[in-house]
């Protein structure tokens, strides 16, 4: 992706990135849509230091408008964080309340916001290329949970996340803030039919494990294949019936005492750590 160079007081030294995120378009088990839903209305901007710096370091993104307060500019300098020198836009210095007016109410923007091109559309095959751990979300709609799951996926080495076009959050500001940069590091495929995507994962050699409180075995007790796709359901509702039926096995997390369930993002973190610990 070419960028027209603009003068900047910063030099390049942003967070690491995964490189180009694949071609645009539709493929096996995939769908169009990608991150485009994340650039409408007040969700057009990413905000917060981690989310913005990670997006600027992602060559699959094109910066369209970068907003900074004087305090945020000073904080970047204090941290030694530097913006890419070849940005196609010049950073705009604005007041805190002027940035807030462009964002959803209550957005904690830390004095920095970025409007950027959406992430490329990926199908299941493209998203899963080169990874042995995949997260599949069955109608997880809360952007904070979704973002936290992305962050755990990045920490514990899950390189791809599969979700549905419908009944999933926009890949916009709130989700990116919760993901703390992981939105740029984990490849995402937004698909139209989750069952078909699960079958495609099986064709690619993934063992599909549905996480369920009533699963027949505890996850740490299972002998798993080298490639695992972990499926998590919506908060409260859990996995839908067809999703459950198409998983290879349903597993539960071990629990002590009367409380046996976790928030979906916490459950994802525990399960992904277990896979990481076992070297899967």
């Amino acid at each position: 992706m070419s960028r027209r160079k603009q003068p900047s007081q910063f030099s390049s030294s942003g967070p690491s990135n995964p490189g180009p995120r694949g071609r645009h378009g539709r493929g096996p088990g995939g769908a169009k849509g990608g991150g485009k839903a994340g650039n409408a209305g007040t969700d057009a901007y990413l905000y917060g230091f981690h989310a913005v710096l990670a997006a600027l370091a992602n060559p699959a993104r094109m910066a369209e408008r970068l907003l900074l307060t004087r305090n945020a500019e000073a904080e970047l300098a204090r941290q030694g964080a530097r913006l890419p020198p070849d940005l196609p836009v010049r950073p705009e210095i604005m007041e805190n309340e002027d940035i807030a007016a462009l964002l959803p109410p209550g957005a904690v923007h830390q004095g920095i916001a970025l409007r950027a091109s959406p992430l490329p559309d990926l199908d299941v095959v493209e998203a899963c290329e080169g990874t042995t751990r995949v997260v599949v979300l069955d109608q997880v709609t809360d952007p904070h949970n979704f973002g936290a799951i992305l962050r755990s996926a990045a920490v514990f080495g899950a390189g791809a996340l599969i979700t549905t076009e419908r009944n999933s959050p926009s890949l916009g500001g709130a989700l990116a803030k919760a993901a703390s940069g992981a939105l740029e590091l984990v490849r995402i495929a937004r698909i139209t039919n989750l069952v078909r995507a699960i079958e495609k994962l099986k064709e690619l050699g993934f063992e599909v494990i549905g996480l369920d409180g009533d699963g027949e075995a505890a996850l740490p007790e299972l002998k798993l294949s080298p490639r695992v796709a972990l499926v998590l359901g919506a908060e409260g509702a859990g996995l839908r019936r067809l999703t459950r039926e198409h998983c290879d096995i349903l597993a539960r997390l071990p629990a002590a005492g009367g409380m046996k369930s976790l928030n979906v993002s916490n459950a994802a973190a525990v399960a992904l750590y277990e896979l990481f610990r076992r070297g899967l």
Side-chain angles (χ1 to χ4, degrees):
M1 179 179 295
S2 63
R3 286 172 169 164
R4 187 177 70 257
K5 291 196 174 186
Q6 292 282 353
S8 172
Q9 67 188 92
F10 302 99
S11 59
S12 177
S13 179
S16 61
N17 61 72
R21 299 190 43 158
R23 62 176 175 83
H24 291 246
R26 184 188 298 270
K32 69 177 183 177
K36 294 179 183 178
N39 272 7
T42 58
D43 210 19
Y45 286 87
L46 306 176
Y47 50 84
F49 284 110
H50 292 298
V52 168
L53 291 176
L56 288 173
N58 185 352
R61 295 269 204 188
M62 174 65 75
E64 297 172 354
R65 190 181 187 193
L66 177 60
L67 313 176
L68 287 168
T69 64
R70 288 293 183 194
N71 286 341
E73 184 181 43
E75 180 62 19
L76 282 174
R78 189 189 69 79
Q79 293 181 9
R82 296 188 292 272
L83 302 176
D86 57 348
L87 286 176
V89 294
R90 188 186 299 275
E92 300 175 42
I93 302 301
M94 297 179 66
E95 295 299 323
N96 194 72
E97 58 270 21
D98 294 328
I99 295 177
L102 297 171
L103 305 177
V108 182
H109 56 76
Q110 299 177 293
I112 185 168
L114 172 72
R115 189 177 68 212
S117 62
L119 294 169
D121 299 332
L122 301 178
D123 62 30
V124 171
V125 175
E126 292 167 330
C128 294
E129 184 178 358
T131 188
T132 60
R133 290 189 291 281
V134 175
V135 176
V136 181
L137 299 184
D138 184 10
Q139 298 194 345
V140 173
T141 58
D142 182 83
H144 300 94
N145 279 333
F146 197 114
I149 291 168
L150 273 175
R151 187 173 185 177
S152 294
V155 169
F156 296 121
L161 185 146
I162 313 299
T163 188
T164 52
E165 283 186 316
R166 298 182 62 185
N167 297 309
S168 65
S170 159
L171 303 181
L175 186 153
K177 182 70 161 56
S180 196
L183 179 60
E184 313 301 325
L185 301 176
V186 178
R187 296 183 297 274
I188 299 174
R190 292 166 61 95
I191 48 82
T192 54
N193 187 295
L194 194 64
V195 167
R196 284 203 297 267
I198 287 173
E199 293 306 308
K200 175 57 65 175
L201 287 168
K202 293 178 182 179
E203 292 176 19
L204 295 172
F206 286 91
E207 185 175 14
V208 181
I209 309 299
L211 204 62
D212 188 278
D214 297 322
E216 56 247 55
L219 183 63
E221 298 169 0
L222 293 177
K223 183 178 180 180
L224 300 174
S225 75
R227 308 189 85 191
V228 173
L230 183 69
V231 189
L232 298 109
E235 194 74 54
L239 299 173
R240 290 176 294 168
R241 179 183 59 83
L242 281 177
T243 305
R244 291 165 58 94
E245 291 175 356
H246 283 80
C247 291
D248 292 315
I249 191 168
L250 296 177
R252 64 181 185 276
L253 295 176
M259 184 170 288
K260 299 186 182 299
S261 65
L262 287 169
N263 168 282
V264 65
S265 62
N266 291 332
V270 172
L272 287 167
Y273 172 73
E274 172 62 20
L275 299 180
F276 176 77
R277 183 188 68 80
R278 293 168 63 173
L280 295 174

